[in-house]
């Protein structure tokens, strides 16, 4: 794994998330990991580009993983690394990379910290099945490790465990230039400012300008968010947005 | 659109969700629609097979939409149909289907119910841009409609509006045989039952058996969920799970 070095590599670092699990697709379990990882990556300068959710079906996992890992700097998976028959993520990742998979002595040692020998049964030993060549990701919550192979990071689906694994692996990631962001509340409805906002966006092509309507106690309102890797360009665009908003408020008598 | 007719078409009806929006990928907005739609579809006998989240980039939207609509019975999209420059879903859907897009008189009439003529500006009229040949989906919350073209249903990203649109379009969907589900709390850790549960699963190949660990006040525990379209097979498998759990509890002295 490579140490983080933003000074010499200001290039874009991108990522995908692959969520694995029938329980998410059936709606029985509501995913809490996508939003958490998305925010985490943004904060360390990695741009999340796409997310997929697939069922516990090996060919679906392999197909999605191979598509994502060829396109993005990193892929983070959640789910399917527990002790039961429907936990097929490790085998599917091994298949995607075309490598063998077996009980890993390092992973067995980690599990042994938690489970005495008489509890380290066949089911729990499933959690020590790791693709050949992978690095382990420590699990400070329940010991059973995640793993990293190539540009793919395989984590648990239980949010507390996933979060511990993400903390453990994050220092090993290459990070890009952090995206800066500034938000202003318009005090106007989205449709009131859309035309003028499009002109501001056109005049500032190097920044990303988004508008997000919401309902407050005083009625419909809009947050305008300006994002850029360049602080100066961000400030210029935000100043233009605020000038536009003041003009629209005056025009509409708000 | 076809009226629901489960009696003569017990075939599998499948779906995908395509979430469109930079704000979800940046983590700024936490998606609340996937879990809602997933549960909604399960309840009406439609099997959600895959989900993708893509940015506000036309080629990404077109590519994902064409992949999903060729594989599943239905595709439901959320996000990107508002009044501002970053709302490009309608144009992207038109491009994916290779049809033209223009201001739709029916959509303008709907918007006119809410906005007087002097407020129906260029930005708001963007929300009346509908691909040729599409049916409109009523929006009881804020009037600006969604639309349906082919097997694709385009909805708003704001959860309250999305939910109103889903209620409006659901009666037009073909539905399959509803998946039945039964859950039992094991009173045991997932790793305690994994080996025996795999044997039950192997003996009942026509049902889907999932196990979901959780932490309660009494410590780690597991929910076992059995799912099937066949009530008899579901009952048989659940009986086998319960017999297995009683045996494991006795063996472990719990």
């Amino acid at each position: 794994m490579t140490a983080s070095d933003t000074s010499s590599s200001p290039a874009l670092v991108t990522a995908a998330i692959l969520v694995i699990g029938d329980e998410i697709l059936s709606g029985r379990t509501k995913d809490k990991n996508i939003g958490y990882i998305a925010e985490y990556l943004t904060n360390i300068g990695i741009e999340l580009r796409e997310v997929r959710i697939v069922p516990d079906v090996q060919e679906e996992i392999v197909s999605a993983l191979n598509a994502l890992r060829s396109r993005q700097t990193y892929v983070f998976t959640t789910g399917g690394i527990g002790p039961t028959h429907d936990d097929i993520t490790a085998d599917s990742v091994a298949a995607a990379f075309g490598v063998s998979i077996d009980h890993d002595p390092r992973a067995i040692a980690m599990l042994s910290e938690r489970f005495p020998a008489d509890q380290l049964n066949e089911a729990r030993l499933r959690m020590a099945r790791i693709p050949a060549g992978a690095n382990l990701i420590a699990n400070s919550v329940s010991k059973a490790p995640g793993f990293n192979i190539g540009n793919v990071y395989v984590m648990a689906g239980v949010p507390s465990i996933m979060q511990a694994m993400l903390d453990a692996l994050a220092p090993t990631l290459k990070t890009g230039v952090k995206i800066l962001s500034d938000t202003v509340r318009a005090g106007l409805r989205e449709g009131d400012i859309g035309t003028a906002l499009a002109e501001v966006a056109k005049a500032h092509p190097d920044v990303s300008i988004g508008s997000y309507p919401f309902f407050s106690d005083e009625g419909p309102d809009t947050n305008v968010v300006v994002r850029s890797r360049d602080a100066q360009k961000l400030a210029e665009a935000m100043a233009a947005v605020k000038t536009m908003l003041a003009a629209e408020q005056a025009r509409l008598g708000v």
Side-chain angles (χ1 to χ4, degrees), chain A:
Chain A
M1 297 197 235
T2 319
S4 142
D5 184 358
T6 54
S7 59
S8 69
S9 73
L12 199 59
V13 181
T14 66
I17 298 172
L18 178 60
V19 174
I20 298 161
D22 289 351
E23 72 277 18
I24 304 291
L25 292 170
S26 75
R28 186 186 176 280
T29 300
K30 303 294 182 288
D31 170 79
K32 293 191 179 75
N33 292 329
I34 295 170
Y36 183 92
I37 299 172
E39 201 170 344
Y40 197 105
L41 294 177
T42 297
N43 286 337
I44 60 173
I46 294 176
E47 186 168 324
L48 180 62
R49 283 281 182 81
E50 51 183 328
V51 177
R52 295 195 192 181
I53 306 176
V54 295
D56 299 317
V57 174
Q58 178 160 325
E59 53 264 46
E60 298 285 339
I61 299 169
V62 169
S63 166
L65 189 63
N66 282 337
L68 297 174
R69 72 188 178 98
S70 69
R71 280 208 292 265
Q72 312 299 346
T73 315
Y74 297 119
V75 181
F76 301 92
T77 81
T78 66
I81 61 169
T84 57
H85 63 283
D86 56 339
D87 290 302
I88 62 168
T89 296
D91 285 86
S92 302
V93 172
F97 278 87
V99 301
S100 62
I101 179 166
D102 206 344
H103 292 108
D104 185 306
R106 300 167 302 171
I108 293 174
M110 287 175 174
L111 288 169
S112 298
E113 292 173 28
R114 182 167 170 218
F115 299 107
D118 65 323
Q119 288 186 27
L120 211 45
N121 56 24
E122 181 188 331
R124 291 204 170 96
L125 283 172
R126 268 184 79 80
M127 297 191 287
R129 287 171 57 78
I130 304 288
N135 303 304
L136 302 189
I137 300 171
N139 168 356
S140 58
V141 176
S142 59
K143 297 301 174 189
F147 61 86
N148 154 238
I149 180 168
N151 61 343
V152 175
Y153 294 78
V154 175
M155 303 186 289
V158 176
S160 59
I161 302 175
M162 185 286 293
Q163 292 169 19
M165 289 180 172
L166 194 55
D167 281 338
L169 70 85
T172 71
L173 298 174
K174 180 173 63 176
T175 54
V177 178
K178 191 176 160 180
I179 295 177
L180 306 169
S181 163
D182 197 7
T183 301
V184 59
R185 180 171 168 168
L188 292 165
R189 293 177 293 184
E190 198 180 25
D192 289 328
I193 62 169
T195 308
L197 188 64
E199 284 163 23
V200 175
K202 204 170 171 185
H204 296 267
D206 296 333
V207 307
S208 159
I209 302 181
S211 84
Y212 305 104
F214 66 97
F215 295 102
S216 79
D217 290 345
E218 296 114 73
D221 202 337
T222 313
N223 279 321
V224 177
V225 180
V226 182
R227 302 173 80 230
S228 175
R229 288 188 169 73
D230 183 317
Q232 179 66 27
K233 285 178 177 165
L234 175 67
E236 286 166 11
M238 182 48 93
V241 168
K242 287 180 176 169
T243 301
M244 177 278 286
L245 290 176
E248 291 301 302
Q249 284 165 354
R251 185 175 67 80
L252 295 162
V254 179

PDB file of all heavy atoms in Angstrom, chain A residues 171-205:
ATOM      1  N   PRO A 171      -5.443   5.666   6.459  1.00  0.00           N
ATOM      2  CA  PRO A 171      -4.087   6.238   6.376  1.00  0.00           C
ATOM      3  C   PRO A 171      -3.243   5.648   5.249  1.00  0.00           C
ATOM      4  O   PRO A 171      -2.224   6.230   4.879  1.00  0.00           O
ATOM      5  CB  PRO A 171      -3.465   5.891   7.741  1.00  0.00           C
ATOM      6  CG  PRO A 171      -4.631   5.691   8.648  1.00  0.00           C
ATOM      7  CD  PRO A 171      -5.700   5.079   7.777  1.00  0.00           C
ATOM      8  N   THR A 172      -3.650   4.511   4.690  1.00  0.00           N
ATOM      9  CA  THR A 172      -2.883   3.885   3.604  1.00  0.00           C
ATOM     10  C   THR A 172      -3.317   4.391   2.228  1.00  0.00           C
ATOM     11  O   THR A 172      -2.703   4.045   1.217  1.00  0.00           O
ATOM     12  CB  THR A 172      -3.062   2.353   3.614  1.00  0.00           C
ATOM     13  OG1 THR A 172      -4.389   2.032   3.188  1.00  0.00           O
ATOM     14  CG2 THR A 172      -2.814   1.784   5.000  1.00  0.00           C
ATOM     15  N   LEU A 173      -4.392   5.191   2.169  1.00  0.00           N
ATOM     16  CA  LEU A 173      -4.913   5.627   0.872  1.00  0.00           C
ATOM     17  C   LEU A 173      -4.141   6.828   0.333  1.00  0.00           C
ATOM     18  O   LEU A 173      -3.746   7.722   1.084  1.00  0.00           O
ATOM     19  CB  LEU A 173      -6.390   6.011   0.996  1.00  0.00           C
ATOM     20  CG  LEU A 173      -7.361   4.914   1.420  1.00  0.00           C
ATOM     21  CD1 LEU A 173      -8.755   5.513   1.630  1.00  0.00           C
ATOM     22  CD2 LEU A 173      -7.413   3.786   0.399  1.00  0.00           C
ATOM     23  N   LYS A 174      -3.975   6.827  -0.967  1.00  0.00           N
ATOM     24  CA  LYS A 174      -3.510   8.008  -1.686  1.00  0.00           C
ATOM     25  C   LYS A 174      -4.683   8.989  -1.722  1.00  0.00           C
ATOM     26  O   LYS A 174      -5.805   8.599  -2.052  1.00  0.00           O
ATOM     27  CB  LYS A 174      -3.152   7.557  -3.101  1.00  0.00           C
ATOM     28  CG  LYS A 174      -2.655   8.600  -4.032  1.00  0.00           C
ATOM     29  CD  LYS A 174      -2.175   7.927  -5.329  1.00  0.00           C
ATOM     30  CE  LYS A 174      -3.324   7.203  -6.066  1.00  0.00           C
ATOM     31  NZ  LYS A 174      -2.937   6.617  -7.347  1.00  0.00           N
ATOM     32  N   THR A 175      -4.452  10.241  -1.358  1.00  0.00           N
ATOM     33  CA  THR A 175      -5.566  11.189  -1.386  1.00  0.00           C
ATOM     34  C   THR A 175      -5.292  12.295  -2.385  1.00  0.00           C
ATOM     35  O   THR A 175      -4.138  12.600  -2.686  1.00  0.00           O
ATOM     36  CB  THR A 175      -5.821  11.790   0.008  1.00  0.00           C
ATOM     37  OG1 THR A 175      -4.604  12.344   0.510  1.00  0.00           O
ATOM     38  CG2 THR A 175      -6.325  10.733   0.971  1.00  0.00           C
ATOM     39  N   GLY A 176      -6.328  12.899  -2.889  1.00  0.00           N
ATOM     40  CA  GLY A 176      -6.193  13.971  -3.870  1.00  0.00           C
ATOM     41  C   GLY A 176      -6.304  15.326  -3.198  1.00  0.00           C
ATOM     42  O   GLY A 176      -6.280  15.433  -1.974  1.00  0.00           O
ATOM     43  N   VAL A 177      -6.429  16.342  -4.010  1.00  0.00           N
ATOM     44  CA  VAL A 177      -6.650  17.675  -3.460  1.00  0.00           C
ATOM     45  C   VAL A 177      -8.089  17.744  -2.977  1.00  0.00           C
ATOM     46  O   VAL A 177      -9.015  17.408  -3.709  1.00  0.00           O
ATOM     47  CB  VAL A 177      -6.406  18.759  -4.531  1.00  0.00           C
ATOM     48  CG1 VAL A 177      -6.687  20.138  -3.948  1.00  0.00           C
ATOM     49  CG2 VAL A 177      -4.980  18.681  -5.024  1.00  0.00           C
ATOM     50  N   LYS A 178      -8.255  18.139  -1.751  1.00  0.00           N
ATOM     51  CA  LYS A 178      -9.579  18.139  -1.151  1.00  0.00           C
ATOM     52  C   LYS A 178     -10.510  19.111  -1.871  1.00  0.00           C
ATOM     53  O   LYS A 178     -10.106  20.217  -2.237  1.00  0.00           O
ATOM     54  CB  LYS A 178      -9.454  18.525   0.319  1.00  0.00           C
ATOM     55  CG  LYS A 178     -10.729  18.306   1.092  1.00  0.00           C
ATOM     56  CD  LYS A 178     -10.557  18.593   2.570  1.00  0.00           C
ATOM     57  CE  LYS A 178     -11.924  18.837   3.165  1.00  0.00           C
ATOM     58  NZ  LYS A 178     -11.856  19.118   4.599  1.00  0.00           N
ATOM     59  N   ILE A 179     -11.726  18.678  -2.075  1.00  0.00           N
ATOM     60  CA  ILE A 179     -12.713  19.570  -2.682  1.00  0.00           C
ATOM     61  C   ILE A 179     -13.244  20.508  -1.602  1.00  0.00           C
ATOM     62  O   ILE A 179     -13.696  20.066  -0.551  1.00  0.00           O
ATOM     63  CB  ILE A 179     -13.867  18.762  -3.304  1.00  0.00           C
ATOM     64  CG1 ILE A 179     -13.340  17.919  -4.467  1.00  0.00           C
ATOM     65  CG2 ILE A 179     -14.971  19.695  -3.784  1.00  0.00           C
ATOM     66  CD1 ILE A 179     -14.387  17.044  -5.103  1.00  0.00           C
ATOM     67  N   LEU A 180     -13.147  21.807  -1.868  1.00  0.00           N
ATOM     68  CA  LEU A 180     -13.665  22.810  -0.937  1.00  0.00           C
ATOM     69  C   LEU A 180     -15.107  23.100  -1.297  1.00  0.00           C
ATOM     70  O   LEU A 180     -15.517  22.965  -2.452  1.00  0.00           O
ATOM     71  CB  LEU A 180     -12.820  24.084  -1.043  1.00  0.00           C
ATOM     72  CG  LEU A 180     -11.322  23.857  -0.843  1.00  0.00           C
ATOM     73  CD1 LEU A 180     -10.525  25.104  -1.218  1.00  0.00           C
ATOM     74  CD2 LEU A 180     -11.036  23.438   0.591  1.00  0.00           C
ATOM     75  N   SER A 181     -15.866  23.509  -0.318  1.00  0.00           N
ATOM     76  CA  SER A 181     -17.294  23.709  -0.535  1.00  0.00           C
ATOM     77  C   SER A 181     -17.789  24.877   0.306  1.00  0.00           C
ATOM     78  O   SER A 181     -17.330  25.078   1.429  1.00  0.00           O
ATOM     79  CB  SER A 181     -18.014  22.406  -0.147  1.00  0.00           C
ATOM     80  OG  SER A 181     -19.371  22.627   0.036  1.00  0.00           O
ATOM     81  N   ASP A 182     -18.699  25.659  -0.245  1.00  0.00           N
ATOM     82  CA  ASP A 182     -19.308  26.761   0.505  1.00  0.00           C
ATOM     83  C   ASP A 182     -20.791  26.788   0.157  1.00  0.00           C
ATOM     84  O   ASP A 182     -21.176  26.543  -0.988  1.00  0.00           O
ATOM     85  CB  ASP A 182     -18.630  28.091   0.135  1.00  0.00           C
ATOM     86  CG  ASP A 182     -18.923  29.192   1.149  1.00  0.00           C
ATOM     87  OD1 ASP A 182     -19.540  28.898   2.200  1.00  0.00           O
ATOM     88  OD2 ASP A 182     -18.541  30.344   0.885  1.00  0.00           O
ATOM     89  N   THR A 183     -21.620  27.065   1.153  1.00  0.00           N
ATOM     90  CA  THR A 183     -23.069  27.016   0.972  1.00  0.00           C
ATOM     91  C   THR A 183     -23.694  28.338   1.378  1.00  0.00           C
ATOM     92  O   THR A 183     -23.291  28.935   2.376  1.00  0.00           O
ATOM     93  CB  THR A 183     -23.666  25.889   1.851  1.00  0.00           C
ATOM     94  OG1 THR A 183     -23.076  24.652   1.488  1.00  0.00           O
ATOM     95  CG2 THR A 183     -25.186  25.806   1.677  1.00  0.00           C
ATOM     96  N   VAL A 184     -24.671  28.803   0.599  1.00  0.00           N
ATOM     97  CA  VAL A 184     -25.448  29.980   0.998  1.00  0.00           C
ATOM     98  C   VAL A 184     -26.938  29.646   0.881  1.00  0.00           C
ATOM     99  O   VAL A 184     -27.364  28.962  -0.052  1.00  0.00           O
ATOM    100  CB  VAL A 184     -25.089  31.222   0.142  1.00  0.00           C
ATOM    101  CG1 VAL A 184     -25.353  30.964  -1.337  1.00  0.00           C
ATOM    102  CG2 VAL A 184     -25.853  32.453   0.604  1.00  0.00           C
ATOM    103  N   ARG A 185     -27.702  30.111   1.882  1.00  0.00           N
ATOM    104  CA  ARG A 185     -29.146  29.916   1.848  1.00  0.00           C
ATOM    105  C   ARG A 185     -29.757  31.061   1.065  1.00  0.00           C
ATOM    106  O   ARG A 185     -29.534  32.226   1.380  1.00  0.00           O
ATOM    107  CB  ARG A 185     -29.675  29.886   3.276  1.00  0.00           C
ATOM    108  CG  ARG A 185     -31.167  29.685   3.355  1.00  0.00           C
ATOM    109  CD  ARG A 185     -31.592  29.439   4.800  1.00  0.00           C
ATOM    110  NE  ARG A 185     -33.030  29.524   4.937  1.00  0.00           N
ATOM    111  CZ  ARG A 185     -33.689  29.140   6.023  1.00  0.00           C
ATOM    112  NH1 ARG A 185     -33.036  28.658   7.057  1.00  0.00           N
ATOM    113  NH2 ARG A 185     -35.002  29.242   6.077  1.00  0.00           N
ATOM    114  N   ALA A 186     -30.525  30.722   0.032  1.00  0.00           N
ATOM    115  CA  ALA A 186     -30.965  31.742  -0.918  1.00  0.00           C
ATOM    116  C   ALA A 186     -32.074  32.632  -0.359  1.00  0.00           C
ATOM    117  O   ALA A 186     -32.177  33.801  -0.719  1.00  0.00           O
ATOM    118  CB  ALA A 186     -31.435  31.080  -2.208  1.00  0.00           C
ATOM    119  N   GLY A 187     -32.927  32.091   0.498  1.00  0.00           N
ATOM    120  CA  GLY A 187     -34.101  32.853   0.910  1.00  0.00           C
ATOM    121  C   GLY A 187     -35.115  32.993  -0.221  1.00  0.00           C
ATOM    122  O   GLY A 187     -36.015  33.833  -0.171  1.00  0.00           O
ATOM    123  N   LEU A 188     -34.954  32.159  -1.252  1.00  0.00           N
ATOM    124  CA  LEU A 188     -35.831  32.201  -2.431  1.00  0.00           C
ATOM    125  C   LEU A 188     -36.102  30.764  -2.879  1.00  0.00           C
ATOM    126  O   LEU A 188     -35.332  29.851  -2.581  1.00  0.00           O
ATOM    127  CB  LEU A 188     -35.148  32.955  -3.577  1.00  0.00           C
ATOM    128  CG  LEU A 188     -34.940  34.461  -3.372  1.00  0.00           C
ATOM    129  CD1 LEU A 188     -33.941  34.989  -4.391  1.00  0.00           C
ATOM    130  CD2 LEU A 188     -36.275  35.210  -3.496  1.00  0.00           C
ATOM    131  N   ARG A 189     -37.183  30.590  -3.620  1.00  0.00           N
ATOM    132  CA  ARG A 189     -37.476  29.273  -4.156  1.00  0.00           C
ATOM    133  C   ARG A 189     -36.521  28.952  -5.308  1.00  0.00           C
ATOM    134  O   ARG A 189     -36.054  29.860  -6.008  1.00  0.00           O
ATOM    135  CB  ARG A 189     -38.926  29.220  -4.645  1.00  0.00           C
ATOM    136  CG  ARG A 189     -39.928  29.329  -3.490  1.00  0.00           C
ATOM    137  CD  ARG A 189     -41.347  29.346  -4.009  1.00  0.00           C
ATOM    138  NE  ARG A 189     -41.618  30.561  -4.775  1.00  0.00           N
ATOM    139  CZ  ARG A 189     -42.798  30.869  -5.285  1.00  0.00           C
ATOM    140  NH1 ARG A 189     -43.828  30.036  -5.127  1.00  0.00           N
ATOM    141  NH2 ARG A 189     -42.976  31.982  -5.965  1.00  0.00           N
ATOM    142  N   GLU A 190     -36.269  27.661  -5.514  1.00  0.00           N
ATOM    143  CA  GLU A 190     -35.308  27.250  -6.536  1.00  0.00           C
ATOM    144  C   GLU A 190     -35.683  27.796  -7.911  1.00  0.00           C
ATOM    145  O   GLU A 190     -34.822  28.234  -8.673  1.00  0.00           O
ATOM    146  CB  GLU A 190     -35.221  25.714  -6.567  1.00  0.00           C
ATOM    147  CG  GLU A 190     -33.983  25.198  -7.258  1.00  0.00           C
ATOM    148  CD  GLU A 190     -33.904  23.673  -7.282  1.00  0.00           C
ATOM    149  OE1 GLU A 190     -34.965  23.010  -7.200  1.00  0.00           O
ATOM    150  OE2 GLU A 190     -32.793  23.149  -7.391  1.00  0.00           O
ATOM    151  N   GLY A 191     -36.977  27.756  -8.220  1.00  0.00           N
ATOM    152  CA  GLY A 191     -37.420  28.228  -9.526  1.00  0.00           C
ATOM    153  C   GLY A 191     -37.292  29.738  -9.704  1.00  0.00           C
ATOM    154  O   GLY A 191     -37.277  30.243 -10.828  1.00  0.00           O
ATOM    155  N   ASP A 192     -37.194  30.477  -8.588  1.00  0.00           N
ATOM    156  CA  ASP A 192     -37.005  31.927  -8.684  1.00  0.00           C
ATOM    157  C   ASP A 192     -35.600  32.276  -9.156  1.00  0.00           C
ATOM    158  O   ASP A 192     -35.385  33.321  -9.772  1.00  0.00           O
ATOM    159  CB  ASP A 192     -37.226  32.596  -7.316  1.00  0.00           C
ATOM    160  CG  ASP A 192     -38.699  32.589  -6.888  1.00  0.00           C
ATOM    161  OD1 ASP A 192     -39.570  32.654  -7.773  1.00  0.00           O
ATOM    162  OD2 ASP A 192     -38.946  32.511  -5.669  1.00  0.00           O
ATOM    163  N   ILE A 193     -34.631  31.437  -8.800  1.00  0.00           N
ATOM    164  CA  ILE A 193     -33.233  31.781  -9.057  1.00  0.00           C
ATOM    165  C   ILE A 193     -32.591  30.956 -10.164  1.00  0.00           C
ATOM    166  O   ILE A 193     -31.456  31.208 -10.560  1.00  0.00           O
ATOM    167  CB  ILE A 193     -32.375  31.628  -7.775  1.00  0.00           C
ATOM    168  CG1 ILE A 193     -32.398  30.166  -7.293  1.00  0.00           C
ATOM    169  CG2 ILE A 193     -32.868  32.567  -6.681  1.00  0.00           C
ATOM    170  CD1 ILE A 193     -31.380  29.880  -6.191  1.00  0.00           C
ATOM    171  N   GLY A 194     -33.334  29.967 -10.673  1.00  0.00           N
ATOM    172  CA  GLY A 194     -32.735  29.014 -11.607  1.00  0.00           C
ATOM    173  C   GLY A 194     -32.127  29.664 -12.841  1.00  0.00           C
ATOM    174  O   GLY A 194     -31.025  29.313 -13.259  1.00  0.00           O
ATOM    175  N   THR A 195     -32.835  30.615 -13.435  1.00  0.00           N
ATOM    176  CA  THR A 195     -32.349  31.235 -14.660  1.00  0.00           C
ATOM    177  C   THR A 195     -31.065  32.017 -14.403  1.00  0.00           C
ATOM    178  O   THR A 195     -30.058  31.848 -15.104  1.00  0.00           O
ATOM    179  CB  THR A 195     -33.426  32.174 -15.250  1.00  0.00           C
ATOM    180  OG1 THR A 195     -34.662  31.436 -15.349  1.00  0.00           O
ATOM    181  CG2 THR A 195     -33.023  32.661 -16.629  1.00  0.00           C
ATOM    182  N   ALA A 196     -31.082  32.855 -13.346  1.00  0.00           N
ATOM    183  CA  ALA A 196     -29.897  33.657 -13.027  1.00  0.00           C
ATOM    184  C   ALA A 196     -28.738  32.772 -12.561  1.00  0.00           C
ATOM    185  O   ALA A 196     -27.563  33.053 -12.848  1.00  0.00           O
ATOM    186  CB  ALA A 196     -30.245  34.687 -11.953  1.00  0.00           C
ATOM    187  N   LEU A 197     -29.060  31.701 -11.842  1.00  0.00           N
ATOM    188  CA  LEU A 197     -28.000  30.810 -11.350  1.00  0.00           C
ATOM    189  C   LEU A 197     -27.296  30.104 -12.514  1.00  0.00           C
ATOM    190  O   LEU A 197     -26.078  29.895 -12.481  1.00  0.00           O
ATOM    191  CB  LEU A 197     -28.590  29.781 -10.376  1.00  0.00           C
ATOM    192  CG  LEU A 197     -27.572  28.916  -9.631  1.00  0.00           C
ATOM    193  CD1 LEU A 197     -26.688  29.770  -8.713  1.00  0.00           C
ATOM    194  CD2 LEU A 197     -28.286  27.838  -8.808  1.00  0.00           C
ATOM    195  N   ALA A 198     -28.066  29.753 -13.539  1.00  0.00           N
ATOM    196  CA  ALA A 198     -27.460  29.113 -14.714  1.00  0.00           C
ATOM    197  C   ALA A 198     -26.453  30.054 -15.369  1.00  0.00           C
ATOM    198  O   ALA A 198     -25.404  29.607 -15.867  1.00  0.00           O
ATOM    199  CB  ALA A 198     -28.553  28.723 -15.712  1.00  0.00           C
ATOM    200  N   GLU A 199     -26.747  31.375 -15.356  1.00  0.00           N
ATOM    201  CA  GLU A 199     -25.801  32.345 -15.935  1.00  0.00           C
ATOM    202  C   GLU A 199     -24.519  32.419 -15.102  1.00  0.00           C
ATOM    203  O   GLU A 199     -23.417  32.478 -15.648  1.00  0.00           O
ATOM    204  CB  GLU A 199     -26.455  33.724 -16.035  1.00  0.00           C
ATOM    205  CG  GLU A 199     -27.439  33.810 -17.204  1.00  0.00           C
ATOM    206  CD  GLU A 199     -28.383  35.004 -17.080  1.00  0.00           C
ATOM    207  OE1 GLU A 199     -28.036  35.972 -16.382  1.00  0.00           O
ATOM    208  OE2 GLU A 199     -29.486  34.938 -17.665  1.00  0.00           O
ATOM    209  N   VAL A 200     -24.671  32.401 -13.778  1.00  0.00           N
ATOM    210  CA  VAL A 200     -23.485  32.403 -12.906  1.00  0.00           C
ATOM    211  C   VAL A 200     -22.652  31.144 -13.158  1.00  0.00           C
ATOM    212  O   VAL A 200     -21.427  31.205 -13.270  1.00  0.00           O
ATOM    213  CB  VAL A 200     -23.889  32.483 -11.409  1.00  0.00           C
ATOM    214  CG1 VAL A 200     -22.656  32.368 -10.513  1.00  0.00           C
ATOM    215  CG2 VAL A 200     -24.634  33.781 -11.122  1.00  0.00           C
ATOM    216  N   ALA A 201     -23.337  30.002 -13.268  1.00  0.00           N
ATOM    217  CA  ALA A 201     -22.618  28.741 -13.489  1.00  0.00           C
ATOM    218  C   ALA A 201     -21.851  28.779 -14.812  1.00  0.00           C
ATOM    219  O   ALA A 201     -20.712  28.306 -14.909  1.00  0.00           O
ATOM    220  CB  ALA A 201     -23.604  27.568 -13.476  1.00  0.00           C
ATOM    221  N   LYS A 202     -22.468  29.367 -15.834  1.00  0.00           N
ATOM    222  CA  LYS A 202     -21.839  29.455 -17.152  1.00  0.00           C
ATOM    223  C   LYS A 202     -20.608  30.355 -17.101  1.00  0.00           C
ATOM    224  O   LYS A 202     -19.594  30.090 -17.768  1.00  0.00           O
ATOM    225  CB  LYS A 202     -22.870  30.029 -18.147  1.00  0.00           C
ATOM    226  CG  LYS A 202     -22.614  29.662 -19.585  1.00  0.00           C
ATOM    227  CD  LYS A 202     -23.810  30.065 -20.451  1.00  0.00           C
ATOM    228  CE  LYS A 202     -23.489  29.903 -21.928  1.00  0.00           C
ATOM    229  NZ  LYS A 202     -24.598  30.416 -22.768  1.00  0.00           N
ATOM    230  N   ALA A 203     -20.658  31.409 -16.286  1.00  0.00           N
ATOM    231  CA  ALA A 203     -19.547  32.359 -16.168  1.00  0.00           C
ATOM    232  C   ALA A 203     -18.415  31.817 -15.299  1.00  0.00           C
ATOM    233  O   ALA A 203     -17.319  32.383 -15.282  1.00  0.00           O
ATOM    234  CB  ALA A 203     -20.053  33.680 -15.600  1.00  0.00           C
ATOM    235  N   HIS A 204     -18.674  30.725 -14.580  1.00  0.00           N
ATOM    236  CA  HIS A 204     -17.653  30.141 -13.691  1.00  0.00           C
ATOM    237  C   HIS A 204     -17.540  28.642 -13.985  1.00  0.00           C
ATOM    238  O   HIS A 204     -17.889  27.811 -13.155  1.00  0.00           O
ATOM    239  CB  HIS A 204     -18.019  30.400 -12.220  1.00  0.00           C
ATOM    240  CG  HIS A 204     -18.035  31.851 -11.863  1.00  0.00           C
ATOM    241  ND1 HIS A 204     -16.948  32.509 -11.333  1.00  0.00           N
ATOM    242  CD2 HIS A 204     -19.009  32.788 -12.012  1.00  0.00           C
ATOM    243  CE1 HIS A 204     -17.248  33.788 -11.150  1.00  0.00           C
ATOM    244  NE2 HIS A 204     -18.497  33.993 -11.555  1.00  0.00           N
ATOM    245  N   PRO A 205     -17.030  28.302 -15.174  1.00  0.00           N
ATOM    246  CA  PRO A 205     -17.066  26.905 -15.612  1.00  0.00           C
ATOM    247  C   PRO A 205     -16.153  25.976 -14.799  1.00  0.00           C
ATOM    248  O   PRO A 205     -16.326  24.754 -14.843  1.00  0.00           O
ATOM    249  CB  PRO A 205     -16.595  26.984 -17.075  1.00  0.00           C
ATOM    250  CG  PRO A 205     -15.798  28.251 -17.148  1.00  0.00           C
ATOM    251  CD  PRO A 205     -16.428  29.195 -16.171  1.00  0.00           C
TER     252      PRO A 205
END
